[in-house]
Amino acid sequence: MAEKLMKFADAVAKYEPVFGLEVHVELSTNTKLFCPAHIEFGGEPNTQLTPVSLGLPGSLPVVNKTAIDYAIKLGLALHCDIAEWSQFARKNYFYPDMPRDYQISQYDKPLNGEGYLDVELDDGSTFRIDIERAHVEDDAGKNTHVGGSDGRIEGADHSLVDYNRAGVPLVEIVTKPIEGAGERTPEIAGAYVKAIRDIVRALNISHARMEQGNMRADVNISLHKKGEPLGTRSETKNVNTFKGIEKTLTYEIRRQAAILEEGGEILQETRHWDESKQATAGGRVKSDANDYRYFPDPDLVMVHVTREHIEELEAQMPEMPRERRARLKQEWGFTDLQMRDALNADALDLIEETIAAGADPAGARKWWLGEISREANERGVSLQELPITPQDVADVEGLIKSGKLNDKLAKQTVTGVLAGEGKPAQVVEKHGYQVVSDDGALQSAVDEALKANPDIVAKLKSGNMKPMGAIIGAVMRATKGQADAKAVSTMVMQRIAQ
Amino acid sequence: MSSTEELVKLSASEMAAKIRSKEVSSRELVEAELATIDAAEPSIDAFLHVARSEALIQADAFDRRLAAGDTEGLPELAGVPIAVKDMIVTKGIPTTAASKILQGWVPPYDATVIEKLKAAGMPILGKTNLDEFAQGSSTEHSAFKTTKNPWDTGRVPGGSGGGSASAVGAFEAPLALGTDTGGSIRQPSALTGTVGVKPTYGGVSRYGAIAMASSLDQIGPVSRSVLDAALLQEIIGGYDKRDSTSIPKPVPPLAQAAREGMKMDLKGMKVGLVKELSGEGYQPGVEARFNEGVKLLEDMGAEVVEVSCPHFSYSLAAYYIIMPSEVSSNLARYDGMRYGLRVMPPEGTAQTAANMMAATREAGFGDEVKRRIILGIYALSAGYYDAWYGSAQKVRTLIIRDFEQAFKQADVLVSPASPTTAFKFGERMDDPLAMYLSDVATIPANMAGSPAMSIPAGLSDDGLPVGFQFFAPQMRDEVMYKPAAALEAALQAQWGGPVHKDLKTPWLQDVK
């Protein structure tokens, strides 16, 4: 049964959305949060285990120091107050893939306290998101439901549990309620999560692959009218695409507004984003929610972080993505639009490396966002996955600069590299690409072209230079594209002047 | 070579001396103990599992090592066999915590203390009985059998470590490991005339000790002499990076302190009598033996002062909030998903994971365990947390301060270990509160994380053993070993031998 929805524009005109995000980031430590079991994506089920990650009787957790350091770095990037003493607590609830039947998380004494993140939006403005906390916890395993048609538990005849992921370290970043975003709510939410992804990548603390579940968000939202108390909120769990986050918010604003409009009540419930239906669907109503019975985990001593250690980590912090983008934009002389295109194509690093390899910024941008992006789109892969490197692009640019290739040959060379024919020099060699500029072959090709087009010659002679392109085109065809257009043009002018 | 009866009645350090002099082999000791176990078990029921072949294999390996002269790094007790409470996981040997929910579970790993015993060449005789998940004070709450007190098989051996205490008391093993959450080593030791020690919290790794209440649990030795306990604690103690609460410091010189004490000179030592742990509720015979013990300490030169620990009177109440809270969380993992018992939901009920878990727990846990889980869930519930768990933690802080104050006035504190001698089976089974009172004198040490021990102080008027308890400051376990060894020596001088010489052991007649 389809739910009633209000038009988005009407909904945000009438109601003020207040939202919040809980973003889970999986840390890319070598071993789990509380034991030395290795973490590797895609390993055989139940092979990355110790007695601790299985919660076997008698086993005890010990905190992974690297995970704490990673979490502190994230806290620093989010301008959080890092707690000198933080504490792990037990969050008691049953779930078949949770080995101890309690999650070890942080409760009243999180590692990272209040902070903020200034999120840059497409129009160049920024929106500040206030952060409530960013705490450390361990992940559960993974259930696979077998025997049904769609992999869901309904209709399945049995379920398999893989505990490889159980115990993987997570940081959960919780925002304060975000107000004043209005119609830009979905955009701001998407930009915020993207900004976090960029930060954790820059810090090199997470693979940040949303499709592998390295990052996922719980999306809370309620509506109210200005001046009236906050509305009841819904919580959509585990949304794991940027688009999904934006669509969830759009959908929930439209759905809740329609209910409120009819005088109905919003249920405080857990929902999930259904990609196939492009809608959120209701789940557990929160009124029978768990009482997690948090208490300090007696198996773990408090985490002590000294001022000196924070300073040490601070010194290791790389430039943050937003500052880096501003610097690069300035250095490269890109326009806002060019910069955004580079960002959206995830080409910033590639362009930077290409420039470092000797290309100028305009050249680097042209290839990565042109030819190569087109190829990536066609193949449905990322730029990084194509068989071409920043060095290759810089080499092609070098050949153009030294006059060994013209634009057309350069394009063919890049095509050859993308087709796996080897490095640019090898492709040039293989196809015999070279610019023909001053030998007899070019002279005769020019003569041929002029002879075949007396009307054009006449126009040129009368000072009308427009048809010059047609002559150059003809010479190009005759020389299989290897002519140097500049040389051709010079020769034509000489002939006409004779 | 000596007769089996003579052999098994030796203390562990006496056995070790015979091994070193090549008078007996480790195998002969293991065989003697296995024969005693065979003879005693029908009347004692101390063991849940006898690891016969494993013990013999370990003994043979040790004997070969000794024959090859490869003795470097071996501790004094090397080659001496030991029994282990079934609350401690042993690789390849069934471990049940005396619960149906773990029946048949064979752990794939060893507890740290077991690794240490193996490295020390100490054969493991088997796994001893306990109250289910170490919850009880009589060993009547075991899901499998009731262990009897060797002094009177109509009476309980105490709990929860009744199996370990009776095994050592009945000469089925010279040594055992126990776990002590509120007195589960010391109270059964008191009731069976053995020595039981709860080391400083964090002094012995808990890795591999099935958790009952993590902030209170401690593994410790059970033996028939103070020196044996010291030697064993030195083997199992020390820092373990797998236990976050383990103390990164070396084990104090315990055996040295015990040997010092055996000289029976306590001049310069101040002994504090804990006012709150005597008087009302303490059996007259227990008090009498205790007072005689205090007199002996004085005779050896100790200065005895009375100290007050005003908050000890709240420790039982606070303990019965904190302990079940942790129990309710620690026992959540027994859900039928991964190991142990799984009971499918009854027919006509939805075959869901939650219903399977409910059916498994209903069938797998006994009444006392269920009682504590429910208490704990209540105490931790939103809205009750501050009133119960939060207040109990505050009491805990006050108890720690009481100890700190008392240790400013005395080097070591003393009290009876149990208010009564061994009681009859069934006597307190239907009255949980009366049962809980059995641990009133032992709980303060767990609440404070400080070390404590019980040694035999003779027999009460009813002919049953009385335990004399020593407390030492945190991380200063050696402080209690000295006066304990001194008192033991003084008592034995008076009795003409250890208290066990008065134990009637009809089962030993059957041992060949």
Side-chain angles (χ1 to χ4, degrees):
Chain A
M1 185 188 69
E3 284 169 303
K4 257 196 157 161
L5 301 175
M6 194 191 273
K7 272 192 184 147
F8 183 76
D10 296 344
V12 290
K14 247 184 144 160
Y15 298 97
E16 185 72 23
V18 178
F19 70 107
L21 293 165
E22 291 163 24
V23 178
H24 293 81
V25 177
E26 199 178 285
L27 301 178
S28 55
T29 47
N30 292 327
T31 55
K32 293 184 179 179
L33 182 54
F34 295 116
C35 71
H38 278 275
I39 303 171
E40 206 181 306
F41 183 76
E44 283 285 302
N46 295 313
T47 53
Q48 294 158 24
L49 303 173
T50 67
V52 178
S53 46
L54 271 180
L56 290 188
S59 63
L60 292 173
V62 177
V63 177
N64 179 338
K65 285 201 177 75
T66 307
I68 296 296
D69 283 353
Y70 281 11
I72 293 171
K73 285 184 176 179
L74 183 51
L76 288 171
L78 299 174
H79 312 95
C80 290
D81 301 324
I82 317 291
E84 188 184 352
W85 292 95
S86 63
Q87 188 169 50
F88 283 100
R90 293 186 183 177
K91 184 179 183 182
N92 292 284
Y93 64 105
F94 168 76
Y95 211 68
D97 59 5
M98 201 164 56
R100 297 169 299 255
D101 285 350
Y102 56 81
Q103 184 184 21
I104 304 179
S105 182
Q106 296 191 307
Y107 182 55
D108 54 347
K109 295 185 183 74
L111 178 66
N112 298 312
E114 290 187 9
Y116 65 88
L117 183 62
D118 287 328
V119 178
E120 215 169 329
L121 303 174
D122 269 358
D123 64 0
S125 65
T126 55
F127 190 96
R128 176 163 292 193
I129 304 273
D130 287 318
I131 287 160
E132 175 76 42
R133 55 192 281 145
H135 64 260
V136 186
E137 60 187 24
D138 68 345
D139 208 347
K142 196 179 127 206
N143 290 326
T144 309
H145 307 294
V146 187
S149 54
D150 56 358
R152 295 183 64 101
I153 192 164
E154 291 82 12
D157 57 33
H158 65 285
S159 301
L160 301 171
V161 193
D162 176 8
Y163 291 101
N164 280 356
R165 206 178 64 193
V168 166
L170 300 176
V171 176
E172 181 177 339
I173 307 160
V174 184
T175 66
K176 292 190 175 175
I178 302 158
E179 300 181 55
E183 57 178 4
R184 304 183 74 178
T185 293
E187 183 199 355
I188 288 169
Y192 165 72
V193 180
K194 263 186 209 150
I196 288 182
R197 184 208 45 190
D198 292 346
I199 287 171
V200 300
R201 280 196 184 160
L203 291 170
N204 199 20
I205 60 169
S206 172
H207 300 305
R209 295 207 183 101
M210 293 192 85
E211 73 282 3
Q212 290 182 3
N214 295 149
M215 270 185 75
R216 48 193 195 265
D218 296 345
V219 181
N220 302 310
I221 181 155
S222 69
L223 300 183
H224 71 138
K225 282 187 176 161
K226 270 209 181 99
E228 288 182 8
L230 289 180
T232 306
R233 67 193 174 93
S234 67
E235 180 178 15
T236 306
K237 287 283 206 187
N238 287 329
V239 190
N240 66 349
T241 61
F242 297 122
K243 275 270 160 283
I245 290 164
E246 293 177 20
K247 286 178 182 168
T248 293
L249 284 164
T250 307
Y251 186 89
E252 278 297 293
I253 287 170
R254 297 180 63 195
R255 183 185 71 88
Q256 292 187 14
I259 293 171
L260 294 172
E261 201 57 15
E262 290 192 342
E265 265 185 49
I266 311 293
L267 288 177
Q268 184 169 340
E269 62 180 344
T270 300
R271 300 179 72 86
H272 69 267
W273 172 249
D274 188 332
E275 187 63 40
S276 62
K277 297 194 177 114
Q278 293 286 299
T280 66
R284 182 159 52 80
V285 174
K286 274 264 179 168
S287 59
D288 57 41
N290 263 309
D291 172 3
Y292 293 120
R293 305 190 311 280
Y294 279 103
F295 74 107
D297 191 326
D299 285 331
L300 288 159
V301 292
M302 287 183 97
V303 178
H304 184 213
V305 183
T306 62
R307 201 31 58 196
E308 295 76 53
H309 188 59
I310 293 175
E311 279 164 16
E312 239 170 77
L313 293 172
E314 228 161 5
Q316 297 168 18
M317 295 281 283
E319 189 179 18
M320 284 298 103
R322 193 165 154 246
E323 286 74 41
R324 174 167 176 247
R325 287 199 299 270
R327 176 176 60 80
L328 292 178
K329 179 168 173 279
Q330 170 86 19
E331 281 175 17
W332 297 345
F334 282 12
T335 64
D336 282 346
L337 190 68
Q338 287 169 338
M339 200 65 197
R340 199 183 318 143
D341 285 348
L343 260 177
N344 289 342
D346 193 16
L348 232 45
D349 290 342
L350 294 167
I351 294 173
E352 194 179 26
E353 286 167 40
T354 307
I355 294 168
D360 59 35
R365 184 179 63 79
K366 185 187 72 185
W367 290 114
W368 285 111
L369 300 183
E371 252 357 78
I372 306 175
S373 274
R374 259 195 297 284
E375 183 71 21
N377 281 341
E378 260 168 44
R379 295 197 203 174
V381 298
S382 70
L383 293 177
Q384 287 81 357
E385 287 168 280
L386 290 171
I388 189 164
T389 65
Q391 185 64 54
D392 295 339
V393 175
D395 288 350
V396 170
E397 279 286 294
L399 291 170
I400 296 171
K401 239 181 240 164
S402 63
K404 291 192 177 124
L405 291 180
N406 59 19
D407 283 355
K408 186 168 180 192
L409 290 175
K411 227 176 236 184
Q412 286 170 344
T413 305
V414 167
T415 305
V417 175
L418 287 170
E421 292 176 10
K423 298 273 133 198
Q426 292 169 301
V427 176
V428 167
E429 168 84 28
K430 183 180 168 196
H431 293 281
Y433 294 150
Q434 56 174 321
V435 173
V436 180
S437 52
D438 56 358
D439 64 1
L442 192 56
Q443 285 287 2
S444 57
V446 169
D447 291 343
E448 281 295 311
L450 292 175
K451 206 186 283 172
N453 298 288
D455 47 335
I456 292 179
V457 173
K459 278 184 188 163
L460 290 172
K461 278 193 169 160
S462 70
N464 181 359
M465 289 300 151
K466 268 191 203 152
M468 175 67 94
I471 296 294
I472 295 176
V475 175
M476 283 293 178
R477 274 193 295 282
T479 59
K480 289 179 187 147
Q482 295 187 355
D484 179 346
K486 227 186 248 160
V488 173
S489 153
T490 312
M491 277 178 200
V492 172
M493 293 309 286
Q494 282 166 355
R495 283 280 184 278
I496 287 165
Q498 278 165 7
Chain B
M1 102 143 232
S2 335
S3 78
T4 294
E5 182 171 351
E6 282 169 37
L7 209 51
V8 299
K9 282 192 166 179
L10 298 173
S11 72
S13 33
E14 287 163 344
M15 288 180 184
K18 285 190 186 296
I19 289 177
R20 277 195 304 282
S21 66
K22 307 267 163 83
E23 210 175 312
V24 295
S25 65
S26 180
R27 185 183 181 94
E28 283 166 329
L29 280 172
V30 168
E31 282 174 340
E33 295 295 359
L34 289 173
T36 308
I37 288 169
D38 288 340
E41 277 302 278
S43 29
I44 303 294
D45 276 326
F47 282 85
L48 288 174
H49 179 88
V50 179
R52 199 172 298 274
S53 56
E54 291 93 338
L56 287 169
I57 289 167
Q58 285 162 10
D60 287 343
F62 172 79
D63 286 335
R64 277 196 302 275
R65 197 174 159 186
L66 198 63
D70 172 21
T71 54
E72 210 185 289
L74 279 177
E76 198 173 320
L77 291 180
V80 176
I82 184 167
V84 174
K85 188 178 183 180
D86 206 28
M87 194 70 168
I88 298 171
V89 303
T90 42
K91 187 175 179 174
I93 299 173
T95 301
T96 65
S99 180
K100 274 189 227 157
I101 215 155
L102 271 177
Q103 192 165 14
W105 183 58
V106 180
Y109 78 108
D110 271 327
T112 298
V113 291
I114 300 297
E115 285 180 354
K116 290 186 170 196
L117 292 180
K118 285 182 174 173
M122 298 177 72
I124 292 158
L125 292 166
K127 306 299 288 293
T128 55
N129 196 22
L130 64 151
D131 285 301
E132 184 178 0
F133 281 106
Q135 296 172 27
S137 304
S138 67
T139 315
E140 291 166 288
H141 291 295
S142 166
F144 303 118
K145 53 169 68 163
T146 311
T147 300
K148 285 85 185 172
N149 191 319
W151 290 84
D152 176 351
T153 53
R155 291 176 187 266
V156 304
S160 67
S164 283
S166 280
V168 172
F171 307 107
E172 293 175 276
L175 296 165
L177 289 185
T179 62
D180 191 315
T181 306
S184 287
I185 293 174
R186 290 161 288 155
Q187 184 258 10
S189 282
L191 268 47
T192 58
T194 54
V195 174
V197 180
K198 183 202 97 70
T200 291
Y201 182 78
V204 177
S205 170
R206 285 185 299 119
Y207 189 78
I210 295 177
M212 171 188 168
S214 310
S215 74
L216 302 156
D217 294 344
Q218 194 55 58
I219 295 178
V222 181
S223 64
R224 287 190 296 267
S225 84
V226 173
L227 177 63
D228 286 357
L231 290 167
L232 179 55
Q233 192 182 333
E234 285 185 358
I235 291 169
I236 61 172
Y239 175 64
D240 179 12
K241 66 178 186 339
R242 289 180 296 192
D243 176 357
S244 163
T245 59
S246 169
I247 297 168
K249 281 189 178 161
V251 188
L254 308 173
Q256 189 193 316
R259 289 194 165 105
E260 190 64 30
M262 286 154 85
K263 295 177 190 158
M264 294 167 50
D265 178 1
L266 296 178
K267 272 193 281 298
M269 177 167 268
K270 268 185 149 178
V271 174
L273 220 62
V274 183
K275 199 172 85 184
E276 286 76 10
L277 297 181
S278 61
E280 207 189 326
Y282 286 76
Q283 195 176 306
V286 169
E287 285 234 84
R289 292 296 90 74
F290 173 70
N291 291 334
E292 287 162 21
V294 173
K295 180 77 180 29
L296 283 175
L297 292 172
E298 237 169 349
D299 292 347
M300 290 184 282
E303 184 193 338
V304 176
V305 294
E306 194 179 68
V307 298
S308 176
C309 296
H311 301 97
F312 278 21
S313 45
Y314 305 112
S315 62
L316 190 75
Y319 175 81
Y320 275 96
I321 299 295
I322 292 169
M323 176 271 292
S325 296
E326 295 186 17
V327 162
S328 72
S329 175
N330 281 333
L331 269 55
R333 71 191 64 199
Y334 306 102
D335 56 14
M337 287 299 303
R338 289 162 297 275
Y339 43 76
L341 184 72
R342 174 182 291 178
V343 179
M344 293 309 284
E347 262 181 69
T349 318
Q351 302 290 298
T352 61
N355 286 343
M356 179 277 289
M357 174 179 70
T360 299
R361 288 176 175 172
E362 171 56 28
F365 286 142
D367 288 345
E368 182 61 23
V369 169
K370 286 176 186 160
R371 177 153 48 227
R372 295 189 188 196
I373 290 171
I374 290 166
L375 265 173
I377 286 174
Y378 182 80
L380 287 177
S381 292
Y384 297 101
Y385 181 93
D386 289 336
W388 298 112
Y389 188 83
S391 303
Q393 288 292 14
K394 284 179 193 147
V395 171
R396 195 169 183 173
T397 306
L398 295 173
I399 292 167
I400 293 170
R401 289 205 193 128
D402 277 359
F403 268 115
E404 283 167 1
Q405 286 304 317
F407 283 120
K408 281 180 188 157
Q409 300 162 58
D411 300 306
V412 65
L413 307 181
V414 294
S415 80
S418 163
T420 67
T421 56
F423 43 95
K424 290 192 174 118
F425 285 110
E427 207 178 291
R428 299 181 187 172
M429 264 306 259
D430 300 326
D431 187 351
L433 293 181
M435 186 77 95
Y436 296 168
L437 277 168
S438 309
D439 298 331
V440 70
T442 49
I443 283 171
N446 301 83
M447 294 290 272
S450 53
M453 68 196 293
S454 173
I455 70 162
L459 305 179
S460 175
D461 307 338
D462 50 16
L464 294 165
V466 170
F468 191 107
Q469 184 172 226
F470 291 88
F471 299 94
Q474 260 190 5
M475 292 180 272
R476 297 291 310 280
D477 301 42
E478 78 281 7
V479 169
M480 65 188 181
Y481 272 101
K482 185 181 170 185
L487 179 58
E488 178 186 62
L491 285 166
Q492 292 189 16
Q494 187 180 305
W495 305 331
V499 69
H500 319 105
K501 74 176 171 41
D502 294 328
L503 176 63
K504 289 174 187 62
T505 53
W507 59 87
L508 281 177
Q509 262 101 74
D510 305 330
V511 181
K512 282 193 246 47

